[in-house]
Structures are given as structure tokens and as C-alpha cells.
Amino acid sequence: MKFQSRKHYLQVPFVLILGFVIGIFMPVVIYYHQWWSEVFIGGFKTYSIAFFMGLLGGTCQMSIGFAREINKLVAEPSKVVLPSYYEGFGYFLKQTWGGIAAVVFVLAVKQGYLAAFDKTTESIELEALVVISFVAGLNAYRILNQLSQILKFNKT
């Protein structure tokens, strides 16, 4: 039984396309559809839009990584480690991690953890929410690492 094969790359485009469709479609549905607006009341609507925009950002980041991986495979096939059967699942988890990072980052922005002097209670505008969430999804690992550094305590 062969655990690594080029055939396992075939599931990755499906996961990426699914991420793009869900990441584009769901925020629009949540924002504009009346039934979804009743279900997603208040802040939960904001965080669900943030999650799906972060998922879209994570999907964009993963598609760039996948393109680089395929280019390496074509250019230097002997130096590339072939994917395992779980390659698509790893891409799905990274996309989801982008959505989680977006929600955590929006929570940090809303609660003022990243603002030193501004103590406003106003909600985040939709346009700013979309941009913040998308960029957080693109840079999920770096953002969560920086947020964890804020709460790091010095051991003396």
C-alpha cells in the first residue's frame, strides 16, 4: 500500500474550490437574506461574517501555497515530498484556522486589546470587518502568534 502519491493532490482543488464558494457565498447570504438576519442576531452575525471572510482569506493563502507546491513538483520532482491521503484534510483545517483567526482578531479589535488610546463602544463597520477578517485569514498563524505574545507573562 502506497501512502504517498501524486493522486492525492486531486482532492486539494476540490477543497480550495469549496472554500472559495463558501467564503464568498455565506457572508453575502448572512448579510442580505432576511431569514439569516433573524437567526444571526447582533454580534453573532458579525462574527459569522468574520469567520467566513477569514475562511476566504485562508483559502486564498492555501491556493497560493498549493500553486507553489505544484510548481516545485513540475520543476524539481525529485526534491518534492509527495502528499499523503490526508492532504485535502490539512488544507481544510488551514482554511478553518483562517476563519478562527479572523474571529479572534475581530474580538481583539472590538474589545480594544490592540488599541492603546481609543476606547470606543461603536461597532465595526461592515467594510472594515470584511478587510480585517480577510487579512486575518491570510495571516492566521502570524496574527495568532502576535496575540499570544500580548498575553505572555515574564517568568522571573
Side-chain angles (χ1 to χ4, degrees), residues 37-83:
S37 296
E38 293 171 4
V39 172
F40 292 109
I41 299 169
F44 190 68
K45 181 178 178 180
T46 301
Y47 300 129
S48 59
I49 290 174
F51 175 81
F52 288 115
M53 288 307 299
L55 184 126
L56 182 63
T59 302
C60 288
Q61 183 65 31
M62 292 302 100
S63 66
I64 293 167
F66 182 63
R68 288 182 183 150
E69 200 171 326
I70 293 298
N71 285 338
K72 278 186 195 175
L73 179 68
V74 171
E76 302 171 0
S78 61
K79 294 183 179 181
V80 174
V81 177
L82 293 176

Side-chain angles (χ1 to χ4, degrees), residues 10-11 40 45 64 75 93 96-97 99 101 107 112 117 119 130 134 140-141:
L10 296 176
Q11 58 190 333
F40 292 109
K45 181 178 178 180
I64 293 167
L93 287 179
T96 307
W97 191 245
L107 279 170
F117 303 107
K119 294 283 184 179
V130 167
F134 183 77
Y141 176 74

Side-chain angles (χ1 to χ4, degrees), residues 98-115:
I100 293 169
V103 170
V104 168
F105 193 68
V106 167
L107 279 170
V109 168
K110 279 187 86 165
Q111 297 302 318
Y113 291 121
L114 304 177

Side-chain angles (χ1 to χ4, degrees), residues 82-142:
L82 293 176
S84 68
Y85 179 74
Y86 301 105
E87 186 80 5
F89 184 67
Y91 276 79
F92 173 74
L93 287 179
K94 289 176 186 177
Q95 291 169 344
T96 307
W97 191 245
I100 293 169
V103 170
V104 168
F105 193 68
V106 167
L107 279 170
V109 168
K110 279 187 86 165
Q111 297 302 318
Y113 291 121
L114 304 177
F117 303 107
D118 190 19
K119 294 283 184 179
T120 62
T121 58
E122 297 177 15
S123 64
I124 298 175
E125 296 291 326
L126 179 66
E127 296 84 6
L129 175 72
V130 167
V131 171
I132 288 169
S133 301
F134 183 77
V135 172
L138 282 173
N139 300 302
Y141 176 74
R142 287 186 220 134

